[in-house]
Amino acid sequence: MSDQRKTSAGSTRPRQSARERAYEMIGAAILVGTFAEGEFLDEAVLAREVGTSRTPVREALHRLQAERFVDLVPRRGAQVRVVTATEMREIYQARFVIESDAIAKICDRRLGSPPDSEELIEAMEDAGRKRDWNALAQLDQRFHCSIVRHQGNAVLGEMYDSLRPRQVRLAVRTIGRGPERLPIIEREHRELKAALDAHDGPLGTAILNVHLQEVPELVQAFSE
């Protein structure tokens, strides 16, 4: 039997594997807080929820460990990782180093903002209106990654994209704790795009620095 299924339009698309279903279900549940930080996950229960055997679940958990969603604890199983304030700061610092370098090079070459930046900004604003923090976080990561990749260094793009799981999880948690900051975040995204279009590297870097600044009341939501 072909590993494809018919869509409503009559076209075909690859059938999603049990491992992929498990990976997406568990990862999404961690992002939205269904599985709390520090919680141990029961493979048998997860297998029933996904509708598969325990092997695909185990494989999904190994992938989620590599992406730092969970820790695999000997004789205890998978535990949802606790994001600390220290890790949050380190993620922001790493992002600033990579993104500020990209901004400088984009402006030096007068490339302007990435072609999809306006579309991503509008999609983020729509997700914000719907209070869909998961979608917003995914789009935010794509927006910033598009800036990094726009400079043309594929290796730096891959390095930045490796932060995606932690970046998305951090964004879901911070915006969920402080949704009143959403208008500020949206304004900064548009200001950053405008700086790139104006080929103003120092201004773009300054906007990014403010955009990635720690918010004390949000830092308090994370353990050290």
Side-chain angles (χ1 to χ4, degrees):
M1 182 181 294
S2 174
D3 190 29
Q4 292 183 328
R5 63 181 66 172
K6 290 283 186 179
T7 65
S8 58
S11 60
T12 60
R13 61 184 175 87
R15 186 184 301 276
Q16 191 179 43
S17 69
R19 179 175 59 185
E20 285 295 321
R21 292 202 314 274
Y23 167 79
E24 291 187 3
M25 187 279 285
I26 300 168
I30 291 172
L31 282 174
V32 302
T34 303
F35 298 142
E37 291 189 352
E39 179 179 350
F40 279 91
L41 305 179
D42 187 307
E43 284 186 8
V45 172
L46 293 173
R48 285 197 299 272
E49 292 181 357
V50 177
T52 186
S53 68
R54 294 175 66 166
T55 298
V57 168
R58 192 172 300 118
E59 292 171 345
L61 290 172
H62 279 281
R63 180 176 171 184
L64 290 164
Q65 179 193 36
E67 295 184 351
R68 300 182 67 81
F69 277 81
V70 302
D71 291 320
L72 297 181
V73 183
R75 295 184 294 279
R76 298 201 64 187
Q79 182 181 31
V80 179
R81 286 192 72 250
V82 176
V83 180
T84 66
T86 298
E87 183 175 7
M88 180 186 72
R89 294 188 186 102
E90 291 173 349
I91 291 170
Y92 282 161
Q93 289 166 2
R95 287 185 57 191
F96 182 78
V97 170
I98 298 173
E99 290 186 55
S100 61
D101 178 72
I103 289 169
K105 288 182 170 62
I106 289 169
C107 291
D108 285 346
R109 298 170 188 165
R110 304 181 71 81
L111 298 175
S113 61
D116 60 351
S117 56
E118 180 64 29
E119 178 185 349
L120 288 170
I121 287 173
E122 291 177 357
M124 281 189 284
E125 292 173 350
D126 182 61
R129 285 190 292 271
K130 296 175 180 175
R131 300 178 71 84
D132 186 343
W133 307 141
N134 187 12
L136 175 59
Q138 299 279 356
L139 290 162
D140 177 81
Q141 195 277 337
R142 285 177 55 193
F143 172 76
H144 287 277
C145 189
S146 73
I147 293 173
V148 174
R149 290 188 176 276
H150 194 44
Q151 68 173 310
N153 188 317
V155 174
L156 281 175
E158 291 170 3
M159 289 175 60
Y160 185 88
D161 204 42
S162 70
L163 295 172
R164 183 193 62 80
R166 283 183 284 178
Q167 185 177 335
V168 169
R169 188 177 173 200
L170 181 61
V172 169
R173 183 167 176 185
T174 53
I175 195 63
R177 294 292 184 105
E180 68 281 354
R181 294 195 69 252
L182 192 55
I184 298 172
I185 295 170
E186 291 174 347
R187 186 189 73 238
E188 290 169 350
H189 283 150
R190 291 202 169 271
E191 289 175 346
L192 183 53
K193 179 183 183 302
L196 291 172
D197 287 333
H199 317 301
D200 192 334
L203 176 59
T205 301
I207 293 167
L208 178 68
N209 186 45
V210 172
H211 188 61
L212 297 179
Q213 273 185 350
E214 295 178 12
V215 179
E217 50 273 33
L218 295 181
V219 172
Q220 292 173 5
F222 295 81
S223 61
E224 292 292 343

